[in-house]
Amino acid sequence: MNHIPMRMNAPAIRPQKMTRRAMAKQQTREKVLQAARDLFIERGYEGATIRDIARAAGMSTGAVFASFADKNELFDAILNDDFAALLEPMQDAVVGAATAREALVGMFGAAYRAHAHQLPLILAALAASWTRTPEAERLRRESMRPIRALIMEILERGVERGELAPRFDLRLISEMVWDLFLAGYRPAAFDGASVENQTDKLADRIDVVLTAVKA
Amino acid sequence: MGVRETQKLETRRRVLEAARDLFNEIGYEETTIRAVAERAGVSVGSVFTTFASKADILSQVMDDRVEALYSELEHVARHMRGSVLDRLCSLFSIHYDFECRRVRLFLAHIAASFSPSLEATTIPYGRNQRFRGMIIDMLHEGQVKGEVRADADLDLILDTLMGAYAWNYRLAATGSADHVVMTGIMERQITLIFHGLMPR
């Protein structure tokens, strides 16, 4: 397994050479994504229409539809980018952590911090995640894969260090920890919990799970 | 009860039943108030005199559903046998079985619980106090019987269990599991958590 620093090099997304036309298309796409992101953060998913997004991006609704089939697809693209961008701060938070607990709390705390200013977007994402098409779900899982891998690495290292007992199902634990992390967004959005408060609560819940598997 | 009151209750009952079926059959987003009124055999106007919004209807559909379940469960829970761990597993199993009978309806309820326009009367899934009360009672009994450490923080255990319970429904959302699979996973999760709760 990898040791510090835990970093995975993202494959280059942009191809080497682009025709002028492909470049224009890419630019349109990015403009739409940025406008949509701003509007979703401001108004939530339901509150932003394709028409609003097109206007904010300074183009016609037809031009938006040339890049994205519908609002759902646009939304998914933003979220997948978002989680991809989270990986780096999460990895940074893990570097130097002395225990599995510290690493997990660090990486999730970094995510809560990064998302604190865009809670409406995250809430809309969580709402949408319950009624996904199989294809959208597959893409979403794909974009989360490096983050899930990071959790597994942390747990495996905990076992190597003799901190966690080797006889437990690490995948089950990693799924539980991930779900507890996601469950922590609702209090932030509805009860106005601060990032610190949100992170402390999660740390307590992670303790409940890790206590069970302590070596 | 006057004629008017009776009629109002009847409208309410019919609307809730029609909505429950439509939400489950074609989905919550896709269901219009007009369609609900049509199936219930009432006017669109009378739906709006009884309910504030579609979200309000969904919330009351869910409320009626669990109230009926809990009246039965609270009775059954007292007579359950076995260790606290086993009984907790049964309690969650009953929930998965019940909610998966109309799983699309339940997923809509979960999705709606993340909506910022949540009604004050809406109880998001996992926050039902009767459900939480039953679990706390079992955990407390576990302490009395020496199955759960005396210094365990029961509210924290409850929240952790509820988090696991609720998020396991994502397996239903992706169609990759039925209630039997979810119950199996929950059992492994509860067993794991209980491993850390044993008196040392």
Side-chain angles (χ1 to χ4, degrees):
Chain A
M1 84 170 252
N2 305 347
H3 282 279
I4 297 171
M6 290 204 259
R7 268 191 189 286
M8 281 156 255
N9 291 318
I13 296 162
R14 220 177 272 260
Q16 292 283 314
K17 256 190 180 169
M18 263 191 172
T19 61
R20 191 190 294 225
R21 190 170 179 169
M23 238 149 73
K25 209 176 158 189
Q26 177 80 16
Q27 268 173 6
T28 304
R29 196 183 145 88
E30 273 163 22
K31 253 202 238 104
V32 173
L33 282 174
Q34 190 51 51
R37 173 188 296 271
D38 292 345
L39 279 175
F40 286 147
I41 290 173
E42 192 187 312
R43 306 180 191 171
Y45 179 71
E46 296 299 335
T49 64
I50 290 278
R51 186 187 295 268
D52 296 335
I53 294 166
R55 194 179 304 140
M59 56 184 73
S60 67
T61 49
V64 174
F65 283 122
S67 298
F68 300 93
D70 55 21
K71 198 164 93 171
N72 243 319
E73 197 182 302
L74 180 52
F75 187 56
D76 282 342
I78 291 177
L79 290 175
N80 293 341
D81 281 0
D82 233 46
F83 272 94
L86 261 189
L87 184 62
E88 207 172 296
M90 281 180 151
Q91 286 170 330
D92 288 344
V94 165
V95 174
T99 61
R101 176 193 195 270
E102 205 184 313
L104 290 171
V105 173
M107 77 177 268
F108 293 134
Y112 284 155
R113 233 181 348 269
H115 281 157
H117 70 285
Q118 54 181 54
L119 282 174
L121 184 73
I122 298 304
L123 277 193
L126 289 174
S129 70
W130 299 97
T131 50
R132 283 238 176 289
T133 62
E135 174 59 11
E137 177 62 23
R138 194 188 61 72
L139 286 174
R140 197 178 65 101
R141 286 199 76 85
E142 199 61 45
S143 72
M144 306 267 187
R145 194 189 297 275
I147 298 178
R148 312 287 278 250
L150 185 58
I151 301 175
M152 279 303 281
E153 275 183 51
I154 290 171
L155 294 174
E156 279 163 6
R157 190 180 300 167
V159 172
E160 279 177 13
R161 278 174 176 158
E163 185 190 339
L164 305 178
R167 64 180 182 283
F168 292 100
D169 178 353
L170 294 187
R171 196 151 294 279
L172 179 75
I173 296 163
S174 111
E175 293 285 324
M176 284 174 87
V177 165
W178 173 255
D179 288 348
L180 291 171
F181 157 65
L182 291 180
Y185 278 105
R186 208 206 321 238
F190 290 132
D191 311 333
S194 66
V195 171
E196 289 73 30
N197 195 296
Q198 201 183 359
T199 309
D200 289 349
K201 268 224 152 82
L202 177 64
D204 287 343
R205 291 171 192 183
I206 287 179
D207 279 341
V208 171
V209 177
L210 291 188
T211 305
V213 297
K214 253 203 317 232
Chain B
M1 208 185 287
V3 176
R4 177 168 275 177
E5 286 294 289
T6 317
Q7 264 175 357
K8 214 175 155 183
L9 276 180
E10 179 60 14
T11 301
R12 184 179 181 277
R13 190 190 63 76
R14 278 158 68 171
V15 168
L16 288 180
E17 197 179 292
R20 182 196 66 193
D21 293 344
L22 282 172
F23 291 161
N24 194 55
E25 285 161 22
I26 64 172
Y28 174 72
E29 291 300 333
E30 291 76 6
T31 300
T32 61
I33 294 282
R34 182 175 297 272
V36 172
E38 217 162 89
R39 174 164 314 196
V42 302
S43 68
V44 173
S46 67
V47 174
F48 279 116
T49 55
T50 320
F51 299 95
S53 63
K54 194 166 82 168
D56 187 31
I57 297 177
L58 175 64
S59 140
Q60 296 201 34
V61 164
M62 298 313 288
D63 215 41
D64 282 10
R65 251 171 86 72
V66 293
E67 284 311 305
L69 174 72
Y70 289 154
S71 298
E72 199 176 323
L73 258 187
E74 278 168 345
H75 178 71
V76 175
R78 272 196 292 273
H79 299 284
M80 281 184 187
R81 294 278 169 266
S83 68
V84 167
L85 171 64
D86 288 343
R87 275 184 288 158
L88 267 177
C89 289
S90 304
L91 188 63
F92 284 109
S93 166
I94 291 169
H95 274 80
Y96 284 127
D97 179 44
F98 179 75
E99 302 295 8
C100 284
R101 279 181 229 163
R102 290 177 192 274
V103 77
R104 247 181 125 178
L105 177 68
F106 188 69
L107 293 174
H109 177 53
I110 300 183
S113 77
F114 288 96
S115 163
S117 56
L118 208 61
E119 311 276 327
T121 49
T122 304
I123 302 170
Y125 75 117
R127 293 253 178 123
N128 186 293
Q129 290 310 316
R130 288 174 81 180
F131 188 12
R132 293 172 69 89
M134 282 186 271
I135 298 168
I136 278 286
D137 286 350
M138 285 188 184
L139 289 173
H140 187 71
E141 200 191 320
Q143 278 183 325
V144 173
K145 290 187 170 163
E147 287 177 53
V148 174
R149 262 195 351 250
D151 65 346
D153 178 347
L154 297 192
D155 285 325
L156 174 63
I157 308 300
L158 171 67
D159 283 337
T160 310
L161 286 170
M162 290 309 283
Y165 162 71
W167 285 85
N168 284 338
Y169 280 105
R170 78 188 187 290
L171 298 170
T174 56
S176 55
D178 60 5
H179 69 98
V180 178
V181 175
M182 284 191 275
T183 296
I185 293 173
M186 187 76 205
E187 271 183 34
R188 292 171 61 212
Q189 292 168 332
I190 300 175
T191 306
L192 187 92
I193 289 173
F194 261 65
H195 196 81
L197 288 180
M198 283 186 304
R200 303 169 182 236

